[in-house]
């Protein structure tokens, strides 16, 4: 089936398949069999046929080809790959959380509503905002929700010409994409020499078509916006709203709050800041928090206290904000992720959260300072949770950030984020997080310094890296050219 | 707690940075914002937090334990084999990020390639993405993809009124006040599917129907798909993937896009999420599809390997001109569906689908025989869910079933459609025993006779 010149390290399920084999059985029906509507019944179901042992070994072997936070350091910038506490996983799987249907009457799921309400309230405290919706499923989904709220706010005031969203050039790609998806026009604002948003260029765009600004603070260079007060003021004076991308909130927990800075809408990533696992690409959760004047626009339903019993215990219910933009997904959001995040917040408390931010920033600055003589750091000042170095040297021609990243794998480390933000050449975006020890950071520094030496002395070692991983460098061009996207494409 | 430094280590690190105190790392934050008071409960130990979360979990009434459930309406109580969660709990899978670095992500990439293949096998389509958030957002993304297929020249999408009301609501939220039009036929929610044709014109990019529809009905859409194609639009079908273990795939009927709520494939109810958005289409639209795609290739050592491909469609490259804003999706839930389908395979999925079918039909026949109750659509095939006309408002029946029998009797359609307040949507899965079905029938009888 597969191409013959290719070595197969692990077969696909379909290659493990033998006709007639089964991995699980169900009981025989305890009811009479009904007639099937023959013309609607499918004639062929081309699924693999494997045993339970096959399945377990296959996926266990596959798992061993992955790098995860549980294995080693994962300094992937802007992704906040902190340790995912095991207790969170157990809590999300409590039968009382796992086996409840989203459409059960609310009186039978008061515990679940209490989880959501408590998390809403905690996120309000942490962000300094007035209202929270837990519905968005991921960060980008939260952004879309936030921009829809901004659009609806202006529309409700009859201010329909406001269709422009400003986005700094250092922003995550999801910011312009979410704005465009909401039917907004995106205008990019450059960064200044210190890595801040260019205040003059920003002011020039602050006119009566301005719907809002999407700003990440700390930004993707890991830098706190030095003119944040002027930025917020300029946007507000023009009648626009300020959207805060909370992807990098880890640096600000207990340090500063978006609400206090005058932001109107923010989203948070529970799968970054609040320790819920990333799952190899989700599920995440991207709650949206808003200031007082936008609470009525939140997607519905939200959890509120609707009554109390004789003993004063709150009774929770679902309610719809008065001018809600509507729902942004089915049901209420990623409840299982909410359980994990609430467990984390309960265990940290206010002091623990501040400790998270302090150690995240401590770790990032430690790496920055100890690597700054080896790697060029274009915006080299006090950073927050992450910093961006250049993965190139004038005296090591032909070596790129990608080569450094691949070589890091040989030391057992996951590489930093590559080629983002776009405003740094050969970017290596490094976010250590607070859960890493000094010993781990020191080992990473040693590896980075050794790689810098190798770049001059033995560049081939980098260009052909990784060497110690089960798989070597993967041919992306071939994948795009041959476009084999399923095992049916082999034929 | 999850921060390992000792005070001595912190001091050493601060010295290395060249500052004295940790507060010196935050001088770039304006002083008036610094160190806000946060009114949160004091930190708990793991023991205390566990106790608190357990007491909240126990405050819920569980399906299958405390309550007998016939509730579906987009989320279904199915058996999840033990293997599924054991694989999901492997830290190598769940503590990994999106597989941007293929050399150390082959586990995730290989599994996504299998997922894409399995979704195509099930739906009869040619390409599937690595997942979306849920069934509702997958429909919204279908509307978006069809819009881009016609480069915005056909700004209208027609959604069948029998689509899940929350899928319709979600799509309306996404595009409600933009230059896109989302049209819902006005003939009422239970109109026959070909009612959509009246609304299809040369500005229409997509017609979206559901299979089985929200009321449980199943139709062969072959002719409808053809009629939609004759008008130049794409035909999309939102499916229950478990039904496809038994019923004809939408690909066989001429669908261009198939979306699904993947929750029935090994994902627990979990109060509505995280679930799995399935999105599949024809290969000719592959450059318009949203989200991650994994393709096969080789590595530098000649080994077969997998990698994210056609990434130029996506937000991190194309920014405002991307096919969608989606980034993080629901990869771990896609892994659950992959392991589930791997275990069940060809025979197991058919068997569980048939079990659902037979039990639901037994329940329908028992209920239809009761005085005062009748099937709302007696001549239309259904899978594991059906609509019953009730002698008293469905809300009253559900309350009585819950209060007196600990039964979740289904979904009161009057919540979404006032004209259907005497209609109950009942789901029956392999988890329901004959005794439970008989009890439901008896209880319904008691409630009806009392009036």
């Amino acid at each position: 089936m597969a191409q013959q010149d290719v070595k197969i390290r692990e077969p696909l399920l379909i290659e493990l398949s033998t006709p007639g084999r089964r991995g699980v059985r169900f009981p025989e029906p305890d009811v009479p069999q009904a007639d099937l509507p023959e013309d609607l019944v499918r004639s062929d179901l081309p699924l693999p046929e494997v045993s339970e042992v096959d399945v377990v070994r296959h996926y266990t072997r596959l798992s061993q080809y992955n790098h995860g936070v549980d294995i080693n350091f994962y300094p992937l910038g802007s992704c906040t790959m902190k340790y995912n506490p095991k207790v969170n996983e157990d809590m999300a799987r409590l039968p009382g959380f796992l086996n409840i249907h989203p459409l059960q009457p609310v009186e039978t799921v008061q515990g679940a509503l209490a989880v959501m309400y408590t998390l809403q309230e905690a996120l309000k405290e942490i962000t300094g905002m007035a209202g929270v919706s837990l519905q968005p499923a991921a960060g980008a989904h939260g952004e879309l929700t936030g921009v829809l709220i901004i659009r609806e706010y202006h529309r409700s005031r009859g201010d329909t010409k406001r269709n422009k969203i400003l986005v700094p050039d250092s922003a995550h790609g999801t910011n312009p994409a979410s704005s465009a998806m909401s039917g907004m026009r995106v205008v990019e604002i450059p960064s200044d020499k210190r890595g801040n948003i260019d205040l003059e260029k920003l002011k020039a765009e602050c006119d009566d078509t301005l719907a809002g600004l999407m700003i990440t603070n700390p930004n993707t260079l890991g830098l706190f916006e030095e003119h944040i007060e002027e930025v917020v003021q300029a946007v507000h004076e023009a009648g626009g709203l300020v959207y805060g991308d909370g992807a990098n909130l880890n640096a600000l927990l207990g340090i500063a709050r978006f609400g206090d800075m005058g932001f109107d809408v923010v989203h948070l990533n529970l799968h970054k800041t609040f320790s819920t696992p990333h799952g190899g690409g989700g599920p995440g959760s991207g709650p949206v928090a808003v200031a007082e004047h936008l609470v009525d626009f939140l997607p519905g339903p939200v959890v509120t206290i609707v009554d109390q019993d004789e003993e004063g215990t709150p009774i929770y219910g679902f309610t719809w904000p008065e001018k809600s933009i509507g729902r942004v997904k089915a049901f209420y959001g990623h409840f299982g992720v909410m359980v994990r995040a609430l467990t984390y917040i309960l265990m940290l408390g206010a002091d623990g959260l501040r400790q998270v931010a302090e150690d995240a920033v401590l770790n990032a600055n430690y790496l920055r300072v100890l690597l700054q003589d080896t790697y060029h750091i274009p915006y080299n000042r006090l950073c927050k949770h992450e910093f961006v170095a250049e993965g190139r040297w004038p005296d090591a021609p032909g070596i790129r950030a990608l080569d450094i990243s691949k070589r890091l794998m040989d030391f057992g480390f996951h590489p930093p984020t590559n080629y983002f933000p776009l405003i740094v050449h050969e970017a290596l975006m490094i976010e250590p997080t607070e859960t890493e020890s000094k010993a781990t950071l020191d080992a990473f520094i040693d590896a980075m310094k050794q790689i810098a030496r190798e770049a001059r002395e033995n560049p081939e070692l980098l260009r052909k890296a990784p060497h110690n991983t089960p798989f070597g460098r993967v041919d992306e061009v071939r994948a795009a050219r041959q476009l084999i996207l399923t095992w049916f494409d082999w034929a | 707690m999850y921060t390992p430094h000792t005070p001595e280590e912190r001091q050493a690190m601060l010295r290395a940075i060249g500052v004295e105190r940790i507060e010196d790392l935050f001088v770039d934050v304006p002083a008036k914002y610094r160190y806000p008071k946060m009114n949160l409960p004091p930190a708990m130990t793991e023991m205390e937090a566990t106790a608190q979360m357990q007491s909240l979990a126990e405050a819920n009434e569980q399906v299958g334990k405390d309550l007998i459930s016939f509730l579906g309406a987009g989320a279904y109580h199915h058996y999840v084999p033990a293997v599924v969660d054991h694989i999901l709990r492997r830290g190598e899978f769940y503590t990994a990020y999106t597989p941007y670095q293929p050399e150390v992500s082959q586990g995730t990439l290989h599994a996504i390639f299998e997922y894409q293949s399995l979704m195509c096998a099930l739906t009869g389509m040619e390409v599937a993405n690595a997942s979306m958030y849920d069934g509702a957002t997958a429909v919204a993304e279908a509307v978006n993809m069809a819009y881009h297929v016609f480069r915005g020249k056909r700004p209208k999408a027609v959604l069948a009124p029998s689509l899940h009301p929350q899928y319709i609501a979600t799509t309306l939220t996404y595009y409600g006040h933009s230059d896109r039009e989302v049209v819902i036929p006005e003939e009422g929610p239970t109109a026959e599917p070909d009612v959509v044709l009246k609304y299809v014109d040369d500005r229409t990019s997509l017609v979206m129907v559901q299979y089985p529809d929200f009321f449980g009905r199943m139709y062969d859409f072959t002719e409808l798909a053809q009629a939609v194609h004759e008008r130049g639009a794409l035909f999309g079908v939102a499916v229950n993937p478990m039904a496809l273990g038994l019923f004809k795939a939408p690909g066989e009927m001429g669908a261009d896009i198939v979306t699904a709520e993947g929750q029935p494939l090994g994902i627990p109810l979990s109060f509505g999420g995280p679930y799995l958005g399935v999105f599949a289409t024809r290969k000719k639209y592959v450059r318009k599809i949203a989200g991650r795609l994994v393709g096969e290739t080789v590595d530098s050592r000649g080994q077969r390997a997998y990698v994210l491909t056609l990434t130029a469609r996506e937000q991190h490259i194309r920014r405002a001109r991307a096919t969608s804003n989606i980034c993080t999706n629901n990869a771990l839930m896609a892994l659950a569906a992959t392991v589930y389908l791997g275990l069940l395979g060809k025979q197991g999925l058919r068997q569980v689908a048939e079990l659902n079918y037979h039990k639901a039909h037994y329940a329908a026949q028992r209920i239809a025989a009761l005085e005062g109750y009748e099937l709302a659509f007696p001549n239309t095939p259904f899978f594991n869910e059906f609509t019953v006309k009730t002698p008293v408002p469905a809300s009253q029946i559900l309350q009585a079933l819950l209060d007196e029998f600990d039964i979740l009797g289904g979904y009161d359609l009057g919540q979404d459609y006032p004209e259907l307040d005497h209609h109950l949507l009942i789901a029956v899965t392999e988890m329901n025993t004959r005794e439970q079905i008989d009890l439901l029938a008896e209880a319904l009888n008691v409630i009806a006779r009392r009036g």
Side-chain angles (χ1 to χ4, degrees), chain A residues 217-230:
Chain A
N217 191 27
N219 64 23
T220 60
L221 295 166
L223 303 174
F224 194 89
E225 278 291 340
E226 291 174 305
H227 312 299
I228 192 66
E229 296 177 77
E230 293 99 313

Side-chain angles (χ1 to χ4, degrees), chain A residues 374-375 393 396 447-457 462:
Chain A
T374 316
Y375 289 81
W393 300 273
M448 288 291 280
K449 287 186 172 171
Q450 183 178 329
I451 291 170
R453 283 194 301 274
E454 290 169 353
R456 278 82 168 198
E457 294 160 8
L462 271 67

Side-chain angles (χ1 to χ4, degrees), chain B residues 63-318:
Chain B
V63 166
K65 178 167 170 270
D66 307 309
L67 302 170
I68 296 170
S69 176
F70 296 93
L71 182 55
Y76 300 89
H77 185 216
H78 289 296
Y79 186 74
V80 181
V83 168
V84 177
D85 195 49
H86 277 269
I87 298 298
L88 258 52
R89 290 194 78 144
R90 289 200 65 94
E92 300 93 329
F93 278 128
Y94 81 81
T95 73
Y97 201 74
T98 299
Y100 291 133
Q101 298 285 348
E103 296 81 5
V104 289
S105 310
Q106 282 301 306
T108 297
L109 289 161
H110 187 119
I112 294 173
F113 183 84
E114 293 182 335
Y115 167 81
Q116 292 174 179
S117 303
L118 292 167
M119 289 305 116
C120 289
L122 212 49
T123 59
M125 303 307 285
E126 295 160 356
V127 50
N129 73 9
S131 83
M132 291 182 153
Y133 311 133
D134 70 355
T137 56
V139 168
E141 290 281 3
V143 169
N144 190 40
M145 190 190 93
Y147 177 86
H148 288 297
V149 163
F150 296 101
R151 298 176 189 281
K153 296 198 175 79
R154 286 171 169 257
K156 185 165 111 180
V158 180
L159 306 186
S162 55
L163 213 61
H164 194 298
Q166 297 197 0
Y167 300 0
I168 293 179
T170 299
T171 307
L172 287 171
T173 305
Y174 270 48
Y175 311 116
H177 297 290
S178 67
D179 56 342
R180 329 267 180 99
E181 291 167 52
V182 179
V183 175
I184 322 295
E186 289 162 0
E187 280 76 358
T190 61
E192 292 290 301
D194 56 8
V195 70
V196 293
L197 282 178
K198 214 174 106 183
Y199 297 84
V200 181
D201 55 23
D202 60 6
R203 299 177 63 252
T204 306
S205 56
L206 177 71
V207 169
M208 196 83 202
V209 299
Q210 191 170 314
Y211 178 76
D213 72 11
F214 188 60
F215 307 101
R217 303 174 300 178
M218 302 199 75
Y219 298 90
D220 190 328
F221 292 124
T222 307
E223 283 176 26
L224 182 59
Q226 205 175 343
V228 169
H229 287 155
E230 277 162 17
R231 289 159 173 80
L234 303 188
F235 186 67
V237 186
V239 302
N240 176 337
M242 185 173 276
L244 300 186
L246 178 57
F247 290 99
K248 217 189 238 187
E252 273 184 72
M253 302 177 185
D256 303 290
I257 302 174
V258 179
T259 64
E261 172 48 73
Q263 179 270 331
L265 304 177
I267 299 169
L269 285 169
S270 190
F271 204 48
Y275 289 172
L276 168 65
V278 178
F279 194 100
T281 184
R282 301 284 177 192
K283 211 163 177 182
K284 62 181 163 183
Y285 303 124
V286 67
R287 285 182 166 76
K288 303 291 180 190
I289 203 170
R292 314 285 186 206
L293 278 177
V294 170
E296 191 174 289
T297 186
V298 294
D299 74 354
S300 56
R301 303 168 203 168
Q303 304 181 105
R304 185 172 68 188
Y306 298 92
V307 66
L308 294 174
T309 195
L310 299 185
T311 53
R313 299 164 294 115
E314 294 187 66
Q315 46 76 28
H316 61 285
I317 311 251
R318 194 157 286 176

